[in-house]
Amino acid sequence: MDYSVTHFTLSPMSDMAADILSALLAEQGYDSFEQTETGVDAYIPTELLAQTDVDSLLADFPLPDVKYSYQTEAMENKDWNEEWETNSFEPIVVPELCCIHDTRHEADSTVPYDIIINPRMAFGSGTHETTSQLVELLLRSDFHGQNVLDMGCGTCILGICMSLRGAERVVAIDIDEQSVDNSLLNCGLNHLNNIYVVHGDASAIRETFDTIIANIHRNIIINDLPTYVAHLRQGGTLIVSGFFTEDIPAIQAAAEAQGLILVHQQERNNWTVIVFRK
């Protein structure tokens, strides 16, 4: 597949600005990101480039004091999945809890959970604030005997965490075919056979779950809330993330309209995780 790269320059540059930009670009079809000293390099299949509207996206950028510029160029035709794996991420260690690493690195024997993730072009190595918060939350929770759903699974890292914490059955759904393939790879790398990966959106949900996780964008969460609730057992848990602190009122109002109760909320660098109970 041919890829193009858009080089974004942000002024002033900050981790928060880069994270927000990456999250917004993901909605436009960009599927991998590299933070630079001055901004973000965002990668997209060239065939999707004509469908993007970066100018409109940046016109509504939620940090009004940040100035930006960008330019796009075609990339050399090569196997970018192989390139991504070759230049993958450094191990992420949560002290006394877990080590997340790719196949180039060794396990950390000092922590109870060793998770292997080869992210390829999918989201979810554990470096982003939403993913890292969820990993810690899930690995400190008990899912024994549960039927759980990882909606918008990316690399399936969250589904893997729930499996490691005792979930009896995990369904992982993603609309992106590369994420589906990558999830299958990562489940195999972690020797887990109770995770079932499905290609699709919320309309692909077919059964009732004890816990549903959706680490997606605010608008998608709000739009799909009725579907999540319809497939969540009474007393079940819905965990949502992938949005900013200022989005909490809109998401809470939509969730309460569906009969959900907010039971936990946490933030890190303006990225939020909310837990609801049905």
Side-chain angles (χ1 to χ4, degrees), residues 31-244:
D31 60 18
S32 54
F33 308 91
E34 181 180 2
Q35 187 168 313
T36 66
E37 292 184 359
T38 58
V40 173
D41 286 347
Y43 301 85
I44 187 172
T46 301
E47 63 184 20
L48 300 180
L49 195 57
Q51 304 173 25
T52 63
D53 188 358
V54 174
D55 288 329
S56 294
L57 179 151
L58 292 175
D60 296 324
F61 196 66
L63 299 179
D65 294 333
V66 175
K67 307 301 180 184
Y68 59 83
S69 62
Y70 69 91
Q71 60 179 19
T72 301
E73 61 181 349
M75 300 181 67
E76 178 186 353
N77 189 12
K78 64 167 75 173
D79 186 343
W80 288 106
N81 274 339
E82 180 180 351
E83 185 77 4
W84 185 263
E85 290 177 352
T86 302
N87 298 285
S88 198
F89 65 98
E90 292 300 311
I92 303 159
V93 178
V94 180
E96 301 181 356
L97 187 61
C98 73
C99 176
I100 304 169
H101 61 94
D102 58 29
T103 50
R104 297 182 305 144
H105 297 91
E106 297 296 324
D108 184 341
S109 60
T110 66
V111 293
Y113 296 104
D114 178 68
I115 302 174
I116 305 173
I117 296 291
N118 270 11
R120 292 192 171 182
M121 292 302 207
F123 288 99
S125 67
T127 57
H128 192 276
E129 278 85 351
T130 55
T131 309
S132 61
Q133 287 186 86
L134 286 168
V135 165
E136 293 184 43
L137 179 66
L138 298 180
L139 290 180
R140 299 186 192 278
S141 302
D142 183 1
F143 297 97
H144 277 86
Q146 288 196 19
N147 188 37
V148 302
L149 170 64
D150 179 3
M151 188 68 219
C153 60
T155 62
C156 204
I157 187 172
L158 302 180
I160 289 169
C161 288
M162 290 188 286
S163 177
L164 292 174
R165 289 296 294 158
E168 182 175 323
R169 186 171 186 272
V170 181
V171 176
I173 300 177
D174 203 289
I175 198 170
D176 178 62
E177 290 184 2
Q178 292 190 38
S179 292
V180 170
D181 292 341
N182 192 220
S183 292
L184 291 168
L185 168 68
N186 291 326
C187 291
L189 290 173
N190 290 277
H191 308 292
L192 298 172
N193 57 15
N194 67 334
I195 301 179
Y196 304 87
V197 184
V198 178
H199 178 228
D201 56 17
S203 65
I205 303 174
R206 293 285 184 267
E207 56 199 277
T208 302
F209 296 94
D210 300 290
T211 299
I212 296 175
I213 292 181
N215 183 20
I216 319 179
H217 183 264
R218 182 196 81 163
N219 293 342
I220 297 175
I221 291 173
I222 291 175
N223 181 73
D224 291 343
L225 263 172
T227 302
Y228 300 156
V229 173
H231 292 274
L232 186 66
R233 72 165 178 82
Q234 193 64 35
T237 300
L238 173 66
I239 305 172
V240 294
S241 190
F243 49 88
F244 310 122

